[in-house]
Amino acid sequence: MVASDAVLPGTATALERRAGAGAVACLIGGDTGAIIGARVTRTRPVLDRYRGAREAATRDPYDARLFRDAIYLPALREVVEHLAVFDPNVWSLPDPDDRSARAVARDLNGTLVSDAVYSAVGDTGAAAALLGVVAGLDAAGVAAVVAYGGGRTTGLLIEANAPVPGASLVPASLAGGTPTTYVDALRARGQLTPAGETVEMGVPPGSAMFTRGGAEMLGPLGARCVDCDTVNTPPSIHPHCVQCGGTKFEEVTLATSGTVHTYVVNRTMPAPFVAPTPVGGGGPRRWVAGHAPGRGRSRGLGDRHARRAGPAALRLRTWSTRVRIQGAHLDRARQVTMGWNRVAVVGAGLVKFGELFDSSYEHLASGAFDAAVANVDRSFEPAQVEAAFVATQRGTLWGQEGIGGNTVPSALGLAGIPCTRIENACPSGSDAFRVGAMAVASGVHDIVLVIGVEKMRDKSTEEGLLSRAAAGHPIYTRGETAPVLFAPFATRHMHEFGTTPEMLASVAVKNHHNGALDPYAHFRNEITSDQVLNSPMVCEPLRLLDCCPQTDGAAATLLVNAERAGEFTDAPVYVAGFGVATDHPYLHEKSSFTGLQATTMAAERAYDMAGLVPADIDMAEVHDCFTITEILDIEDLGFVEKGKGGFASLEGQTALDGRIPVNTSGGLLAKGHPIGATGVAQLTECWWQLRGEADQRQVEIRNGNALQHNVGGRGSGVSVVNILTTNP
């Protein structure tokens, strides 16, 4: 019998520290002194999908934790129970997570010999179990070896009437191996070169060039634009100059006069990573007044766009949205007639957000769709849906990255309809809504479903959102988790405008109060300012209660051609306008740390399209992944002056009875943030508010307008704003 395997995941992944490679061969039978005394095999299904509303929720085995509890451990124990009656004195058990085998072995007599294999060479896959049992055959006795793979668990009982020749060499080989450090492994793979040498990093070739020195990367190289002299990241990262759009560059060595420190709460990451600040020898980038070549000057939202005196910042290439408005603009100082109103929302609903371990992805989608259909005022048949747009951002968190367009319709009984999955970072749900609205407005479809679904809690912390710290560019985004991304905005806002931790805390207190009134919220408990200020520090100045939770959830809306809205309701809510914008993905390219440019530009486009100004909005659901984010949002959306967001929150201007109620549902901080479902759930709250159906959370609707907003992605570089209205 021969068993060999090589488990070699990428560097810095969760499996890196326990993966290995190995091979073992042995002869069983004849005169070797050992025979196979028994064999037990059990098979369990590894794919058990939810198939209908009347069927109990199933667990997705691709998730590591649920897979271990629902499939792996029960199958392992079942085979072990059959072999245990022979009373083996040696056991070899598969141990993919460094604890499952020991948990099973606690109830057994005999010695667990596979521990030595896993501790010495790691998980060697197919070779691990056999390598372990061979190591235990250096004396006469009964050995049990169990292996698992592909849903099948197999156990063998090997009886040795004398020591098996060569078996005693295995433990010695394991013990005599040379310890290998992480750096040694990198060097052996050719991924670490001597200090001082220049090597290419990243994919494809020609990516950013760096000089390695020891275990750190030093001296990054940049590219200077020939046309405007602006220092850029290499062309393989940005093929166009971020200043003038040019494509001709010359290599330049970047100065190391500053450092960027990033800290992450993640035990799989190395110690705090320090990288050189990518600025050129000519100093920081300069902001150039004027408009982008060949484009009109962007229409601002008022003097809140005035830049503060001081060093000039990198200017974004912005321009007028050029959206064709179907209707005339009236005086912006008073209420205007809606222009773009060819789409109506006639139904919306969601499931309760939370840690929904007992519900599959498909089960959540089905629940949200049923809720949206049930909330239509008049009879609505599911078969009337002509197309669907599905938002899911992190498919890997529930075991499937390539989520096709057929996943959700099949679960809803709508197999056959056109369906498109949309992923656009945190605004995935709100962007799916925008695309769905355009599909109806274009005349291609009269009735579409927009649904957001996300399973985030089934994965471990290491495999969840913290894993993004090791994703992306090896220098520019190394260690960049969400708290690391937003904390600098908080500290800069505090420095420039006097924002205080108490102001941040007021956002959390307000949103948890609203969440306590929302039956769909993840957290339905009120908190105090002291609790926020005394909660553990995550990434200074952001504390635990300044952060939103990771959440499971789903939400759905039904969009119809406005001319057909009367078939379904007497109180339609219309799509007044929307806007999408992008910003640079890397922090060192940001022009400001006191606002999010993508939000500002998306808001301008949405207001333009709707023919509205910020003062026309009655309530808003905005992206509050952190308390500082809501403060930035209400400034960037034009509800308060730049720098006054913290003061407005502390004064109660954004409360349910305030001047501009914000996050009446509890926001991401209390309601939760199942990424793909978040935007659709926010739109559902806006729909309820405009129809006067928000129960204890209901606010005063004066103008008939509500705004929904998300921002996210690498560097918070994409934002979507949708505006709903009751005005025909």
Side-chain angles (χ1 to χ4, degrees), residues 339-361:
W340 200 89
N341 56 2
R342 298 182 58 187
V343 182
V345 185
V346 298
L350 65 156
V351 301
K352 186 184 185 307
F353 288 4
E355 294 184 328
L356 309 178
F357 296 119
D358 292 331
S359 294
S360 69
Y361 176 90

Side-chain angles (χ1 to χ4, degrees), residues 65-88:
R65 184 166 42 182
L66 296 182
F67 171 80
R68 181 191 69 223
D69 295 340
I71 295 179
Y72 172 72
L73 282 178
L76 183 62
R77 287 194 171 100
E78 186 176 0
V79 170
V80 165
E81 287 175 0
H82 282 79
L83 296 178
V85 299
F86 297 96
D87 198 23

Side-chain angles (χ1 to χ4, degrees), residues 398 464 648 656:
W398 65 279
L656 293 178

Side-chain angles (χ1 to χ4, degrees), residues 327-407:
H329 270 101
L330 300 182
D331 186 351
R332 285 190 173 276
R334 58 188 176 87
Q335 179 69 37
V336 300
T337 302
M338 292 300 101
W340 200 89
N341 56 2
R342 298 182 58 187
V343 182
V345 185
V346 298
L350 65 156
V351 301
K352 186 184 185 307
F353 288 4
E355 294 184 328
L356 309 178
F357 296 119
D358 292 331
S359 294
S360 69
Y361 176 90
E362 292 88 343
H363 192 190
L364 296 179
S366 179
F369 177 62
D370 290 346
V373 171
N375 287 333
V376 178
D377 294 337
R378 299 198 180 105
S379 177
F380 183 94
E381 293 298 326
Q384 292 178 275
V385 174
E386 300 172 11
F389 298 90
V390 179
T392 296
Q393 201 268 333
R394 293 295 297 273
T396 52
L397 296 184
W398 65 279
Q400 183 177 347
E401 176 58 27
I403 304 170
N406 64 330
T407 305

Side-chain angles (χ1 to χ4, degrees), residues 198-346:
T198 300
V199 295
E200 291 190 0
M201 298 285 295
V203 176
S207 186
M209 301 286 289
F210 302 96
T211 301
R212 285 186 184 272
E216 292 187 344
M217 300 178 186
L218 307 174
L221 303 180
R224 189 186 304 278
C225 177
V226 174
D227 296 326
C228 71
D229 207 39
T230 298
V231 176
N232 291 258
T233 52
S236 61
I237 305 298
H238 279 172
H240 296 273
C241 174
V242 297
Q243 181 66 38
C244 71
T247 57
K248 296 180 180 180
F249 301 96
E250 58 184 18
E251 186 178 292
V252 59
T253 300
L254 302 183
T256 56
S257 57
T259 58
V260 177
H261 296 259
T262 61
Y263 298 83
V264 292
V265 185
N266 187 344
R267 60 181 177 172
T268 67
M269 286 293 296
F273 183 81
V274 182
T277 301
V279 296
R285 296 175 181 169
R286 300 181 297 279
W287 173 65
V288 180
H291 59 276
R295 298 285 187 175
R297 191 184 295 269
S298 177
R299 182 194 63 79
L301 298 179
D303 59 5
R304 66 188 183 86
H305 284 289
R307 295 186 181 272
R308 296 174 58 85
L314 172 66
R315 183 183 64 80
L316 294 174
R317 301 172 62 197
T318 63
W319 49 80
S320 174
T321 57
R322 306 296 187 194
V323 176
R324 181 173 66 87
I325 306 299
Q326 299 176 3
H329 270 101
L330 300 182
D331 186 351
R332 285 190 173 276
R334 58 188 176 87
Q335 179 69 37
V336 300
T337 302
M338 292 300 101
W340 200 89
N341 56 2
R342 298 182 58 187
V343 182
V345 185
V346 298

